[in-house]
Amino acid sequence: MATIKDTPVIPNQLPEDLAAPRTGYCGTTTEYCSDPDCQWPFGTCDSNQTPAGPTTLNDPRPLIGQVSYDDDIRDCTQANVVALTYDDGPYQYTAQLLDILKSYGFKATFFMTGNNLHKGSIDVTPPYPAIIKRMVAEGHQVASHTWSHYSLSNIPSDVRKDQMVKNERAIANIIGRYPTYMRPPYSQCSRESGCWADMKALGYHRVYFDLDTQDYLNPNTIQNSKDIVKQILGTPGASDYLAIQHDLVQQSVTNLTSYFFDLIKAKGWKGVTAGECLAAIGGFLLFSKVIAHEHHDDKIPEGESVSPDPIDTTLWVHILIQILAFGIIFPTGMVLGIVRSRFHVPLQTLGALLSLLGYILGHLHRGRQFAPNIHASFATLLMSLLLIQVVLGTYLKLHLSSSLHASIRPYTILSHGIIGKIMPVVSWVQMLFGGITALGFCRVDHTGQCLAHFIMGSAFIAYGIVLTILLLVGQIWLRRTGRSQEFFDSLLIAAWGCVNTFTEHRWGGPWVKNDLQHTSMGIVWWCAGLLGIWLSRKRDGRPKRNLIPAMVILITGWAMSAHPQGLMLSTHVHTVFGYTLMAAGAARVVEIAFVLRDGGSVDAEGRGDEASSWQYLTPFLLVASGFLFMGATEEQMAMLSEAHVSHVSYILILYSVSFLLFLFVSMLLNLYASHAWPLEPAHTKHTEMSNGAPMANGHLERRMRDAEEFELEGLMSDDEDGVKHSQST
């Protein structure tokens, strides 16, 4: 150790390389410069460094769960447990402590300091990163004891926050997240100093203890600590304790710990983390995410995105609840809103509550671990849209009638309707992200191919759903536009072809694998799309049907059926996908040329819901094609091949899912049509329209208005409905 310079401390007159201990003298050795005894206002301390990475100071800090953020926590809420907590580590004895904990099957909470006692920053100084990763891997709780072990009551707010944030950053550099539990050094964090407010603002629970082993006072006389724990554990009527030890005290680790654990086991109790003793649900309050969403990743093999653990029950429940809420309840509620049903609000409220429950369960699961992923990030957008929708719906339901609200209300209705119709699309994307994340797909070299399958597959499914909508409830709207359906189909095909032409191959580079086939398909699409647009009108400007979009579907199916694949299973699935798409195109040709004879789907009474059985074939086959293509990625095929799943079984499963989705869409459209256009008596008087088709008197005009009013206007009051009715009569 260097010579100590016994120079009295004079504030603001110290050289930068000097530091001062609490004795009031300055020096340059460990004795002077090592925290927590170094006086940071008077010089440079050894902990005066910041861990690498962005600051966490401005991270969102949601106060989640039932454990208090306002009160000092000093005892457990669970019976027959001892919360085992260790302060000031990690240190040279911590690995041995983990061995002892493992042998007893107990769990503990480690309130860690980031850089004190001259041990170096925990995120870069071996063996601390490995020890901390082991803590998490073995089910222990990581918590904060500040960066340098300063008294939080005796430092300014900015330094106090800096002490917490530096420790967060160091811990996050090791395990990818940081704690929400902390213990103030020296048990000093007073309300008057502002420490309570700062800890709550940073999202921390303040945890103390009700069983002090006093091991730090007895490093060489640990029998005193043994006597303390024996006496306290023998207290009649006690049902739990929140204990404190220090893993930097050798005798506490090597001698006291086993003795303490034997006493706990003799009572029939168990040693648990602070979070478990406080009944923190699933332990999910133990960590805040540095990135988006909380999931452990310490068991994920190098180069993988998920751990090999199975999906646990909690995560399965999360999946099923979110599918129910976003896949069934919200779309049904959207339709009920469009038809202004009184069941719209109750159903959407139920969906919102279920989605919130599902969101919480998504943070509680154990089992399979996930690296940072798009599903977690996208959840924020989805839940934000849901929150906005709930706020708008609540505002509309209040029926505020002042002049200001009267001017705002139409825009609110419009916004509510737009978001309501966006939600099914966004929900579909999130569910796909969920499946991709759960299986660890779409990573590294597979990303482009995987995204292409899910985007194109979703496009086929969307095309099938749009055709079903136009078939059952959209023909009047289509007639109103003055365009044939093939005009819109050809326009989209041309646009999609242009995108594919210039994105499937990296122009200027070599042609690899299936680049040429993908690019040539794009060229066919925009060429055929242009022709379809040209043929969609007669010479006099009236809309005209044509077969070009159907031919594009058929040609695409033929090309995909011959798409070269690396696995036999993949070849079979792609072949059936191609045949299904070809069948959709052929069915469309038959529908237009022979079933409708180049006409529309509106019957003699102006109803578009009386479609022939053949007309359902094309949209269903498009939906089935979409699921087949989404289910044929390289990673899926490899996984199924390894599991020895036959292509027959897999294709039948995908077709089953297609049947269910098509059933659900048809039911929603029937629900809409039943409310919007109730059946009229058969003897209704007919009149001749300008295009020569006999129509019910006033029926077509009313249905055209309904088609234009495809907005979510369902939250109008009775008075508003009455005004609207009087204006229309």
Side-chain angles (χ1 to χ4, degrees), residues 45-51 115 120-121 123-125 147-148 162 166:
C45 303
D46 65 351
S47 69
N48 188 21
Q49 52 185 285
T50 301
N115 188 351
S121 180
D123 62 329
V124 295
T125 306
W147 177 247
S148 309
D162 189 58
K166 283 184 177 180

Side-chain angles (χ1 to χ4, degrees), residues 299-584:
K299 294 183 180 179
I300 299 174
E302 188 71 26
E304 300 294 331
S305 57
V306 298
S307 71
D309 304 288
I311 295 176
D312 71 344
T313 302
T314 302
L315 190 54
W316 277 118
V317 174
H318 157 79
I319 292 170
L320 293 175
I321 286 178
Q322 297 299 61
I323 290 176
L324 175 63
F326 289 98
I328 298 177
I329 292 178
F330 285 140
T332 305
M334 178 192 72
V335 174
L336 292 176
I338 292 172
V339 300
R340 290 183 285 178
S341 168
R342 68 178 184 275
F343 297 111
H344 165 69
V345 173
L347 192 61
Q348 297 297 71
T349 302
L350 174 62
L353 293 175
L354 285 175
S355 64
L356 179 60
L357 174 61
Y359 181 77
I360 294 173
L361 289 176
H363 291 74
L364 302 186
H365 72 85
R366 298 180 183 273
R368 184 167 300 178
Q369 301 176 1
F370 304 93
N373 56 79
I374 186 63
H375 178 67
S377 303
F378 201 72
T380 303
L381 171 62
L382 181 62
M383 297 306 290
S384 298
L385 285 175
L386 178 59
L387 177 61
I388 294 172
Q389 188 73 335
V390 169
V391 171
L392 292 175
T394 303
Y395 170 79
L396 291 172
K397 192 62 179 175
L398 294 175
H399 301 299
L400 301 176
S401 57
S402 68
S403 58
L404 174 62
H405 293 294
S407 61
I408 294 175
R409 187 176 181 83
Y411 299 102
T412 307
I413 293 174
L414 178 62
S415 301
H416 191 54
I418 292 173
I419 296 176
K421 296 176 183 67
I422 290 175
M423 283 294 290
V425 178
V426 178
S427 301
W428 172 263
V429 173
Q430 177 66 342
M431 285 188 281
L432 292 184
F433 285 156
I436 290 170
T437 299
L439 297 172
F441 289 165
C442 292
R443 294 279 181 156
V444 196
D445 294 338
H446 297 288
T447 303
Q449 183 264 355
C450 181
L451 291 178
H453 273 258
F454 279 100
I455 292 172
M456 182 67 78
S458 297
F460 284 129
I461 293 172
Y463 190 14
I465 292 175
V466 169
L467 287 183
T468 309
I469 293 172
L470 291 174
L471 173 66
L472 298 182
V473 299
Q475 289 298 312
I476 301 299
W477 171 86
L478 194 62
R479 175 173 293 193
R480 183 79 170 183
T481 66
R483 304 279 188 179
S484 71
Q485 187 168 326
E486 283 66 43
F487 170 81
F488 297 103
D489 292 352
S490 299
L491 185 63
L492 288 176
I493 288 171
W496 193 269
C498 290
V499 172
N500 260 43
T501 299
F502 297 103
T503 58
E504 288 291 346
H505 171 67
R506 185 172 297 175
W507 292 91
W511 292 86
V512 296
K513 210 170 182 181
N514 294 319
D515 276 11
L516 183 58
Q517 181 173 334
H518 292 156
T519 303
S520 59
M521 285 172 59
I523 294 172
V524 166
W525 290 343
W526 66 257
C527 292
L530 293 177
L531 176 60
I533 293 172
W534 176 259
L535 295 178
S536 64
R537 296 181 73 86
K538 297 180 179 180
R539 291 178 60 186
D540 59 4
R542 288 183 298 153
K544 180 182 179 181
R545 308 298 300 268
N546 68 74
L547 303 178
I548 299 302
M551 291 179 62
V552 171
I553 296 173
L554 198 154
I555 292 171
T556 302
W558 166 77
M560 295 306 298
S561 68
H563 208 10
Q565 303 298 320
L567 294 172
M568 183 58 66
L569 175 63
S570 183
T571 299
H572 287 314
V573 174
H574 275 82
T575 300
V576 175
F577 158 66
Y579 289 165
T580 302
L581 204 55
M582 291 172 65

Side-chain angles (χ1 to χ4, degrees), residues 592-608:
I592 294 173
F594 300 103
V595 176
L596 299 178
R597 298 182 180 274
D598 285 0
S601 296
V602 178
D603 68 8
E605 296 188 357
R607 297 187 181 93

Side-chain angles (χ1 to χ4, degrees), residues 68-80:
S68 175
Y69 291 87
D70 297 307
D71 303 315
D72 291 335
I73 298 170
R74 299 185 182 276
D75 60 0
C76 296
T77 60
Q78 300 298 294
N80 302 325

